[in-house]
């Protein structure tokens, strides 16, 4: 019985009468609470992670540090040639612009996942961010590739479960958005 | 609060929005604790002035949610966005400045600001609906 807290342990609907299946995940209050914990936890990780991306130089200097050093690993400890080429030719020479882009995107990622607003959209942004970070530092010293696989998987889970609908703003705003004819609000419905 | 008012409040369709505003205000007040946390587990950097911002705007958001005042909820959200804007401008200048925050503080205030504004801007037509049932 989707949408209630009183879901049966098995689903005996017409198409599955003879093959009992587990009830959907979402109706359980515990599952909703745990999804909220995962979303808020991931939001806080991004929020903390943006703390060391400090303007105005973002670590560009002698010796390099911070975000600049991490980004330069894409070239010095190459993971994927086209990405290394892109970083070498376009990103590193224009690093101030890139640094600001990273800061704004990661700050927004942490902010939106924390409050659970447009969560599915920001989960996709998190996947893109994870891939970019992995392509930069995967071969750098002392990196553990599982970190990036786990990051990728947790964002897939946030997307798949639309985690902002549980103890997030998507949960309280989405029903109102669904009544609106506006295309912008329609986009928010899809993003939540 | 009388039982009738309490019941009316419980049945209010906008109550989840107000509770969300209270929750976002509470997050801000909780973040003030990071003034005592340094090192690995410091999620946001809170200085003396940013402590005041977190407490004052957090209390405003909580009060606004408790009183179901959409205008005050938006005001608290705008306050957080202004604080986030000032913090990022100070960081662009090369230091934490008088607010004493870092990019994580900017991120937190950005989220609280956008969240409160999104809640506060939801149209609340209940007064018009009440007029419909009022005496002719």
């Amino acid at each position: 019985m989707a949408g209630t807290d009183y879901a049966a342990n098995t689903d005996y609907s017409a198409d599955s009468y003879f093959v009992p299946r587990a009830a959907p995940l979402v109706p359980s209050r515990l599952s909703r609470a745990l999804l909220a914990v995962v979303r808020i936890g991931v939001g806080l990780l991004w929020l903390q992670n943006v703390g060391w991306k400090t303007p105005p130089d973002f670590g560009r200097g002698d010796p390099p540090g911070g975000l600049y050093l991490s980004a330069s690993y894409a070239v010095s400890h190459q993971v994927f040639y086209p990405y290394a080429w892109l970083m070498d030719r376009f990103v590193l020479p224009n690093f101030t612009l890139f640094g600001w882009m990273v800061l704004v995107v990661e700050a927004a990622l942490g902010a939106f996942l924390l409050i659970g607003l447009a969560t599915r959209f920001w989960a996709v942004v998190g996947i893109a961010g994870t891939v970019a970070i992995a392509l930069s530092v995967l071969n750098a010293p002392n990196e553990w590739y599982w970190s990036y696989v786990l990051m990728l998987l947790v964002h897939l889970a946030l997307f798949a479960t639309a985690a902002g609908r549980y103890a997030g703003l998507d949960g309280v705003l989405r029903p109102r958005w669904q009544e609106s004819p506006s295309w912008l609000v329609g986009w928010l419905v899809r993003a939540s | 609060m009388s039982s009738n008012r309490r019941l009316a409040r419980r049945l209010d369709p906008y109550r989840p929005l107000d509770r969300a505003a209270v929750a976002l205000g509470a997050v801000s007040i909780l973040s003030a604790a990071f003034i005592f946390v340094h090192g690995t587990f410091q999620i946001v950097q809170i200085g003396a002035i940013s402590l005041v911002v977190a407490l004052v705007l957090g209390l405003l958001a909580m009060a606004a949610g408790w009183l179901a005042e959409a205008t005050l909820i938006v005001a608290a959200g705008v306050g957080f966005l202004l604080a986030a804007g000032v913090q990022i401008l100070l960081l662009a200048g090369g230091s934490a400045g008088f607010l004493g925050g870092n990019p994580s503080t900017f991120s937190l205030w950005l989220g609280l600001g956008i969240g409160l504004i999104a809640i506060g801007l939801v149209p609340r037509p209940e007064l018009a609906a009440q007029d419909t049932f009022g005496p002719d």
Side-chain angles (χ1 to χ4, degrees):
Chain A
M1 194 182 296
T4 74
D5 291 333
Y6 310 106
N9 290 329
T10 47
D11 176 7
Y12 292 107
S13 57
D15 62 330
S16 64
Y17 189 80
F18 298 107
V19 186
R21 290 183 302 193
L25 175 72
V26 183
S28 153
R29 183 170 286 185
L30 176 65
S31 299
R32 291 200 304 252
L34 292 176
L35 280 175
V37 168
V38 172
R39 173 182 55 77
I40 292 166
V42 174
L44 288 175
L45 288 174
W46 280 111
L47 200 140
Q48 185 186 38
N49 190 54
V50 81
W52 56 273
K53 278 122 191 182
T54 45
D57 57 9
F58 296 98
R60 188 176 197 175
D62 189 19
L67 180 62
Y68 185 84
L69 181 63
S70 290
S72 67
Y73 284 142
V75 179
S76 62
H77 298 75
Q78 195 182 109
V79 176
F80 181 55
Y81 174 74
Y83 185 77
W85 181 86
L86 191 77
M87 293 293 282
D88 193 31
R89 295 292 175 93
F90 295 103
V91 173
L92 295 178
N94 304 292
F95 201 71
T96 304
L97 174 67
F98 175 76
W100 277 106
M101 281 172 54
V102 170
L103 190 152
V104 169
V105 170
E106 287 194 8
L109 192 46
F112 280 83
L113 288 182
L114 180 68
I115 64 174
L117 185 62
T119 304
R120 295 187 108 176
F121 169 77
W122 287 102
V124 172
V125 174
I127 290 167
T130 301
V131 169
I133 295 169
L135 289 176
S136 294
V137 301
L138 209 57
N139 285 339
N142 304 315
E143 288 292 337
W144 186 52
Y145 82 93
W146 275 37
S147 311
Y148 304 102
V149 176
L150 289 170
M151 275 174 73
L152 200 65
L153 294 176
V154 80
H155 286 98
L156 286 174
L158 292 180
F159 180 87
T161 56
R165 297 182 201 176
Y166 317 110
L169 292 190
D170 287 342
V172 289
L173 293 174
R174 197 170 191 273
R176 290 172 170 82
W177 291 337
Q178 284 173 318
E179 295 164 3
S180 171
S182 158
W183 68 268
L184 178 64
V185 178
W187 179 85
L188 280 170
V189 171
R190 286 191 294 279
S192 61
Chain B
M1 188 183 290
S2 71
S3 58
N4 282 348
R5 277 191 70 188
R6 204 172 294 147
L7 181 63
R9 199 176 161 86
R10 189 166 290 176
L11 295 175
D12 182 358
Y14 298 96
R15 191 165 178 255
L17 297 171
D18 299 328
R19 285 168 60 186
V22 172
L24 292 180
V27 167
S28 179
I29 289 169
L30 285 174
S31 76
F34 281 101
I35 196 166
F36 302 114
V37 181
H38 302 282
T40 305
F41 298 107
Q42 185 190 46
I43 293 174
V44 290
Q45 183 175 299
I46 297 289
I49 303 296
S50 47
L51 176 77
V52 175
V53 171
L55 292 177
V56 170
L57 292 179
L59 282 172
L60 177 63
M62 287 186 78
W66 179 255
L67 297 171
E69 284 289 341
T71 313
L72 273 184
I73 293 174
V74 172
V78 169
F80 275 117
L81 280 191
L82 283 175
V86 171
Q87 183 61 78
I88 202 67
L89 284 176
L90 290 168
L91 288 166
S95 77
F98 68 93
L99 279 175
N102 68 351
S104 301
T105 320
F106 161 72
S107 175
L108 176 66
W109 289 347
L110 179 74
L112 296 177
I114 290 171
L116 286 166
I117 290 172
I119 293 167
L121 289 183
V122 171
R124 298 186 182 216
E126 72 266 51
L127 288 176
Q130 282 172 9
D131 288 346
T132 308
F133 297 106
D136 293 330

